Amino acid sequence: MPASIKGTLLLDENHPSLKKAANIINRGGLVAFPTETVYGLGAAATDPEAVNRIYEAKGRPADNPLIVHVSDPAQLKTVARDLPEKAFKLTERFWPGPLSLVLPRAEGLPALVSAGLPSVAVRMPDHRTALELIRLSGVPIAAPSANRSGKPSPTTYRHVLEDLTGRIEAVIKSAPCSVGVESTVLDLTGETPLILRPGGVSREELEETLGCRVAVAGLKSFPGKPLSPGMKYRHYSPRAALILVAGHPEKRFALVKALAYRYRSLGLKVGYLNPSIRDDLKQKVDPERLAATLYELMRRMDQQEIDIILAEEIEITGIGLAVMNRLKKAATRTLRVGSGKLQRKS
Ligand code: TXA
Ligand code: MG
């Protein structure tokens, strides 16, 4: 008998356990499963009642659409229609992988999956367990990140248990997610491909594959475009106040030290987010490592009841764009050190 906590089964990644997980999905239940990005909270995408339970378990606003996960590029045709040439180029290059494509929704798919939008986001995760679960279930699996709405996304099964024990049927135990930030959400329904949420696949890689410009919603270079529905919520946030320090690296570091000193002298508990600040200024921040540990660090600092998290900006190339996007969303304040002057941004 697998272990269970308050009615939530803890399953292994072996075949019989995954069969059990697939049966739960087929009976309209909820199973949290690992992917290369973050843990997903899965239900049969074809079953509107099961999909509705995802929104309830997470406490997710009803206007925030889910991502549909497939086990094979060919399955894309069952959930989306009118696929443009670009979609084929991208799936060939990046699937399985951390890229969700927003395409016109197939008629047979329940509207609730995409919160009533005419489009649907689809991806094929690069994780053996996730792929086997989808295959064994025989249906595409709708899955948002497996956290309570407003909490940082889960990158370990323990994070899932912290948030959802007793609210879902099962969690599959696996190693921590390797990418650590969510997939890139790319809208292919307009003229220009548009990144609605930066993630595991970089803008540079997308542009190289498509041979055209890829826009990023919310960046100054592409004003006026709405972000993906989910991005308007205060997401990805720890409980502590997060102060993001931007500007010249050495001046940044001096300000971080000064802020830490000031807050500590007020009796507050201070935590550092970026390894460069925690270790040594000379050590270059490895953006991949920061991405992989970002949510774990935020959750750990909350457990340690840290009051103020100090973070430094990183370059917005490669995965850095996704990390900075999450840091800006989590930040309660951004301070920019320029030429000797301190500018408060919010
Ligand atoms: O890496 C990931 O994407 C993870 C794993 C589990 O696959 N999933 C994930 O799902 O992060 P979630 O629900 O936490 O984020 C989905 C994002 C939201 O910002 C949502 O608004 C956007 O994708 N999205 C989903 N469908 C959309 C659509 N049809 N149009 C625009 N944005 C959409
Ligand atoms: Mg999420």
Side-chain angles (χ1 to χ4, degrees):
M1 271 293 281
S4 132
I5 314 173
K6 293 189 192 153
T8 299
L9 283 179
L10 276 167
L11 297 174
D12 291 319
E13 289 177 291
N14 57 36
H15 188 73
S17 298
L18 294 184
K19 276 286 267 194
K20 190 171 284 206
N23 284 337
I24 294 172
I25 295 277
N26 289 140
R27 288 200 309 264
L30 304 183
V31 176
F33 62 96
T35 80
E36 80 281 29
T37 56
V38 301
Y39 263 77
L41 177 58
T46 47
D47 178 346
E49 275 176 40
V51 171
N52 191 40
R53 288 196 53 218
I54 294 182
Y55 285 90
E56 284 174 7
K58 272 186 68 98
R60 184 178 179 101
D63 64 349
N64 193 2
L66 312 176
I67 294 174
V68 174
H69 296 68
V70 295
S71 57
D72 190 293
Q75 209 177 6
L76 175 58
K77 290 197 292 287
T78 67
V79 293
R81 61 184 166 81
D82 305 333
L83 306 181
E85 190 49 41
K86 288 188 180 80
F88 294 105
K89 273 194 188 161
L90 292 169
T91 57
E92 193 166 308
R93 165 81 168 77
F94 296 107
W95 280 12
L99 177 65
S100 299
L101 299 178
V102 174
L103 294 159
R105 175 162 48 84
E107 269 172 25
L109 199 71
L112 192 60
V113 167
S114 40
L117 291 176
S119 58
V120 63
V122 191
R123 88 174 187 103
M124 178 181 173
D126 188 12
H127 197 293
R128 240 185 33 201
T129 298
L131 294 175
E132 197 177 341
L133 176 66
I134 303 165
R135 249 180 246 125
L136 291 171
S137 308
V139 285
I141 292 186
S145 49
N147 51 295
R148 287 279 286 171
S149 212
K151 292 276 294 277
S153 289
T155 52
T156 70
Y157 75 89
R158 286 197 179 83
H159 297 163
V160 179
L161 290 174
E162 276 166 29
D163 284 14
L164 296 173
T165 297
R167 306 182 73 90
I168 61 177
E169 276 72 23
V171 181
I172 301 173
K173 283 196 292 183
S174 184
C177 304
S178 57
V179 177
V181 291
E182 301 85 342
S183 63
T184 302
V185 178
L186 183 71
D187 187 347
L188 288 181
T189 63
E191 265 299 283
T192 308
L194 174 65
I195 295 179
L196 298 176
R197 178 181 73 181
V201 170
S202 72
R203 176 192 201 172
E204 295 85 341
E205 291 172 299
L206 293 171
E207 290 186 329
E208 192 194 299
T209 304
L210 292 173
C212 71
R213 193 173 89 91
V214 170
V216 183
L219 274 198
K220 283 197 195 74
S221 55
F222 209 80
K225 266 284 173 183
L227 296 172
S228 110
M231 298 307 279
K232 68 173 182 271
Y233 297 105
R234 187 171 185 256
H235 229 140
Y236 316 113
S237 25
R239 219 175 20 225
L242 190 146
I243 300 178
L244 181 59
V245 179
H248 187 277
E250 278 179 38
K251 287 186 181 141
R252 252 170 23 206
F253 187 62
L255 178 60
V256 165
K257 277 206 298 199
L259 286 171
Y261 181 78
R262 190 203 299 167
Y263 286 122
R264 283 194 179 121
S265 66
L266 292 170
L268 296 171
K269 252 178 123 170
V270 176
Y272 299 124
L273 193 77
N274 310 34
S276 75
I277 329 177
R278 280 189 286 131
D279 303 337
D280 166 10
L281 179 64
K282 304 284 179 304
Q283 186 193 314
K284 227 175 148 4
V285 190
D286 173 3
E288 261 84 31
R289 187 175 147 222
L290 183 56
T293 52
L294 185 66
Y295 294 141
E296 161 69 19
L297 284 168
M298 285 182 180
R299 280 180 183 257
R300 204 189 303 151
M301 290 197 202
D302 272 348
Q303 274 166 1
Q304 293 165 350
E305 302 192 328
I306 282 180
D307 302 297
I308 309 278
I309 300 175
L310 297 172
E312 279 190 65
E313 80 169 339
I314 65 167
E315 263 188 59
I316 55 165
T317 50
I319 194 123
L321 182 66
V323 172
M324 277 304 289
N325 169 276
R326 307 308 190 265
L327 285 180
K328 282 186 194 154
K329 287 205 62 76
T332 33
R333 246 166 102 191
T334 301
L335 300 173
R336 177 168 292 281
V337 273
S339 46
K341 262 207 342 250
L342 183 65
Q343 302 153 7
R344 182 183 286 198
K345 281 203 60 197
S346 60

